[in-house]
Amino acid sequence: MMRKHASIPAEWWADFLLNQYSRSRRLGYLLSGVVLVLLPVFTILDATLVSYSNGELIWKHILLRLPAAILATTFLLLHHKKSPDFWAYPLLLTLNLSIVGMMAAMFVLHYSEQGGHLLYITQGLTLAIIAVATATVYGVRDLVLIYGLPFMAVIAFIVFSGSPVPDNPIHLIFIPAAMGIGLVIATMLYQEHRRTFIASQQLEHSALTDALTGLPNRRSMQTHLQAEWSRAKRDEQCFAVLMADLDHFKAVNDQHGHEVGDEVLTILASRFTTTLRGGDRVARWGGEEFLLLIPNATVESAMAVAEKVRRVVAEPTFATSAGHLAVTLSLGVALHRQTESIDEVISRADKALYRAKLEGRNRAVLADR
Ligand SMILES: Nc1nc2c(ncn2[C@@H]2O[C@H](COP(=O)(O)OP(=O)(O)OP(=O)(O)O)[C@@H](O)[C@H]2O)c(=O)[nH]1
């Protein structure tokens, strides 16, 4: 039995697919180069090593190799264009299918030829290399297609053609042996690739997530702010920044301990996430301070979000291990001006938050425009 795949969480599948596309592109690029070098070499080797009984045979060989050569050239040309990667895997698959098909056809052509066994060996080994290249991208699944069809065709030919057995049939064993080795190596490399992908995703996730609340952290929010700032500039839209800070949180820590303080922060985070709409974002900006980003906002919509958040925090009370605690939140709301930087809009939201605290807390205050 094959080892079970390292499982990739559903939310990472899109990233994994993108990763596979770009891997296909890199592998396909390499493979196309190898193919374009090997095809002429094989043609010359065939012409010198195999005594053709028929002068037309060399042209048949060239014609059989043409589809693979065209596909490899197409791959190299597309690779050099600055385009997205989605074409790379289907093209890599087609290229490999054309190579394996070509080899199967040459096998059939040479099956009963004197001295043809040399070809069986080189063909078998080349198949193994191609198998590894392809299967490391998508696992062994697609090898069924790449190998299955040409392989069945070759078996059918051997069984039904009634051709005489070649002089050295023992060499035929190289083909399934090379395929088997290729399959094992490909599976191992594919598993390794999945594990590396998962590890790098976990690393990236933890670098962008606040460990206590599970919310995006400041670094993550800075990326979103930058993206929103660019979009707002391009589309001439406004976004709003809400700076939210728990009221008298020090007292919670002092009276009930840091652990209970942590519980309050975690409950607060879950209230944020259940209250905000899909496009809105929230991050833990620091300590007990949270930054909310509302895209495509007006003064009215931003204040409505701030008020809604304030209300869902104020009520109901927070169920902690120290009992039900009344918690409130103050917010500073700033609408981004077309001419100002991210730091400037955050600074205005901060000043509005400061005013909210001064004016008695548990309220949202709009920044000066
Ligand atoms: N439990 C816990 N406390 C934190 C964390 N981060 C910051 N704090 C605490 O948050 C408190 C913030 O205190 P202050 O800045 O005085 O603010 P405050 O008591 O909320 O008062 P106002 O903001 O003026 O309403 C400090 O006691 C910090 O130790 C954390 O991750 N966990």
Side-chain angles (χ1 to χ4, degrees):
M1 265 262 302
M2 295 266 178
R3 257 179 74 191
K4 209 169 163 286
H5 283 173
S7 73
I8 294 171
E11 68 268 25
W12 289 348
W13 261 103
D15 283 340
F16 188 59
L17 281 182
L18 288 178
N19 185 281
Q20 283 176 313
Y21 291 157
S22 73
R23 256 169 82 79
S24 305
R25 188 171 183 155
R26 278 178 276 127
L27 264 178
Y29 173 65
L30 204 74
L31 201 64
S32 298
V34 171
V35 164
L36 287 180
V37 171
L38 278 187
L39 285 185
V41 170
F42 277 174
T43 311
I44 293 165
L45 278 179
D46 289 354
T48 49
L49 291 180
V50 180
S51 49
Y52 292 109
S53 51
N54 175 348
E56 281 176 20
L57 211 52
I58 186 76
W59 287 108
K60 281 190 190 154
H61 275 216
I62 291 173
L63 279 178
L64 281 174
R65 283 166 178 156
L66 211 55
I70 291 171
L71 286 165
T73 311
T74 311
F75 206 113
L76 291 186
L77 290 176
L78 283 175
H79 179 76
H80 283 292
K81 280 194 164 184
K82 271 217 171 310
S83 57
D85 299 330
F86 62 86
W87 54 268
Y89 187 68
L91 193 56
L92 176 64
L93 208 63
T94 319
L95 172 63
N96 284 338
L97 196 56
S98 80
I99 296 168
V100 179
M102 170 189 85
M103 299 218 167
M106 292 211 283
F107 180 93
V108 167
L109 219 61
H110 277 278
Y111 178 66
S112 50
E113 292 264 329
Q114 287 286 317
H117 58 264
L118 276 173
L119 280 171
Y120 310 151
I121 301 168
T122 50
Q123 285 165 16
L125 294 177
T126 315
L127 286 178
I129 295 165
I130 295 159
V132 171
T134 315
T136 53
V137 180
Y138 268 69
V140 292
R141 191 191 65 193
D142 292 337
L143 285 187
V144 176
L145 172 71
I146 296 175
Y147 276 150
L149 301 178
F151 198 67
M152 295 316 266
V154 166
I155 300 286
F157 168 81
I158 292 175
V159 173
F160 295 114
S161 68
S163 305
V165 174
D167 53 354
N168 248 330
I170 190 69
H171 290 307
L172 293 177
I173 201 74
F174 278 98
I175 297 175
M179 282 169 63
I181 294 166
L183 213 76
V184 172
I185 297 173
T187 309
M188 285 165 62
L189 286 175
Y190 180 58
Q191 297 288 9
E192 202 47 47
H193 168 54
R194 286 173 75 105
R195 273 193 285 275
T196 313
F197 173 80
I198 291 169
S200 77
Q201 285 292 107
Q202 280 166 343
L203 210 66
E204 194 180 314
H205 181 75
S206 62
L208 297 173
T209 307
D210 172 53
L212 174 67
T213 60
L215 287 181
N217 62 15
R218 189 180 185 125
R219 194 168 147 214
S220 165
M221 181 52 99
Q222 264 156 345
T223 314
H224 295 306
L225 279 165
Q226 189 60 49
E228 198 49 50
W229 184 83
S230 307
R231 193 162 58 168
K233 229 178 164 57
R234 193 184 58 229
D235 301 345
E236 295 192 2
Q237 284 177 351
C238 276
F239 63 89
V241 167
L242 280 56
M243 198 58 90
D245 187 282
L246 281 171
D247 296 328
H248 300 305
F249 187 54
K250 189 171 178 308
V252 174
N253 276 329
D254 291 349
Q255 283 173 26
H256 306 288
H258 218 259
E259 281 77 22
V260 174
D262 284 355
E263 285 176 43
V264 168
L265 290 171
T266 311
I267 298 169
L268 176 69
S270 77
R271 292 205 185 174
F272 278 141
T273 45
T274 49
T275 309
L276 291 178
R277 286 215 201 123
D280 303 342
R281 293 181 187 279
V282 58
R284 188 170 180 199
W285 196 246
E288 18 69 275
E289 204 173 38
F290 295 81
L291 190 147
L292 286 70
L293 172 64
I294 317 294
N296 198 9
T298 59
V299 168
E300 292 74 26
S301 67
M303 286 306 285
V305 174
E307 189 50 33
K308 191 162 133 195
V309 168
R310 188 200 64 75
R311 259 188 287 116
V312 297
V313 172
E315 265 180 276
T317 50
F318 284 30
T320 70
S321 54
H324 285 261
L325 302 182
V327 174
T328 60
L329 191 71
S330 296
L331 299 110
V333 180
L335 218 67
H336 167 249
R337 296 183 193 128
Q338 281 296 324
T339 51
E340 76 184 337
S341 69
I342 295 169
D343 286 346
E344 283 165 340
V345 65
I346 291 175
S347 157
R348 283 195 301 117
D350 251 338
K351 284 185 187 134
L353 170 64
Y354 183 69
R355 271 180 35 217
K357 295 273 182 188
L358 281 184
E359 288 172 16
R361 298 181 171 81
N362 189 22
R363 69 195 59 219
V365 167
L366 182 66
D368 300 329
R369 295 221 71 202

